[in-house]
């Protein structure tokens, strides 16, 4: 198990070893949906969403990665995220058919294109950010 890689203990109902999960990275991971200041609705609970809300940053501001957790976002979930991004300026990454995509302000898109051209990873996981 390591940050950014789908865990082989994840099952349809969530983590199959939740009570005995290791400290790193599991217990140290701070899910963006669970955070006290989470802006996400109940429908974004990872076991319902099929994705895990991973906090990251862009230009020192909050951003998110919706890491694949069993299924791609449906149209309504993606629309919610896009509206949230437009209202807050917080960009996000998501996966569709195995491809990583992003959405956010034009400056974010330009930054991500520049990273791709330079071969730099698009985002950093903050799994142990507690």
């Amino acid at each position: 198990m390591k940050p950014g890689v789908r865990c082989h203990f994840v099952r349809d109902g969530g983590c199959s070893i939740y009570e005995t999960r290791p400290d790193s990275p599991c217990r140290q991971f701070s899910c963006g949906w669970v955070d006290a200041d989470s802006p996400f609705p109940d429908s974004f609970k990872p076991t319902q969403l099929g994705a895990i809300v991973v906090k990251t940053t862009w230009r020192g501001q909050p951003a998110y990665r919706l890491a694949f957790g069993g299924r791609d976002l449906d149209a309504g979930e993606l629309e919610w995220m896009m509206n949230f991004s437009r209202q807050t300026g917080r960009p996000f990454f998501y996966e569709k058919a195995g491809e990583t995509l992003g959405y956010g302000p034009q400056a974010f898109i330009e930054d991500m294109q520049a990273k791709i051209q330079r071969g730099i990873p698009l985002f950093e996981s903050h799994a142990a950010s507690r």
Side-chain angles (χ1 to χ4, degrees):
M1 291 171 277
K2 63 182 182 176
V5 176
R6 181 173 163 81
C7 176
H8 61 276
F9 289 111
V10 173
R11 302 290 185 261
D12 288 341
C15 177
S16 65
I17 61 163
Y18 188 80
E19 295 303 321
T20 59
R21 68 196 187 281
D23 186 55
S24 179
C26 305
R27 291 183 188 270
Q28 293 176 2
F29 177 74
S30 178
C31 174
W33 180 81
V34 175
D35 282 353
D37 62 348
S38 170
F40 300 102
D42 289 345
S43 62
F44 273 55
K45 180 178 182 179
T47 54
Q48 293 179 11
L49 186 64
I52 301 166
V53 179
V54 181
K55 297 184 301 184
T56 188
T57 57
W58 171 65
R59 295 186 177 183
Q61 300 299 315
Y64 302 96
R65 180 170 69 98
L66 300 177
F68 184 80
R71 69 171 179 83
D72 290 341
L73 299 178
D74 68 28
E77 294 158 346
L78 187 54
E79 184 62 29
W80 189 95
M81 280 302 300
M82 289 175 169
N83 286 334
F84 172 76
S85 179
R86 285 189 293 270
Q87 291 169 1
T88 64
R90 295 179 183 180
F92 68 97
F93 296 98
Y94 64 103
E95 295 174 49
K96 184 174 182 178
E99 183 179 4
T100 299
L101 304 168
Y103 185 89
Q106 184 61 36
F108 170 76
I109 302 301
E110 292 168 3
D111 284 357
M112 296 308 106
Q113 289 172 336
K115 283 185 168 192
I116 289 169
Q117 290 174 349
R118 295 191 327 250
I120 298 172
L122 295 178
F123 52 82
E124 293 181 35
S125 174
H126 295 285
S129 63
R130 283 208 252 178

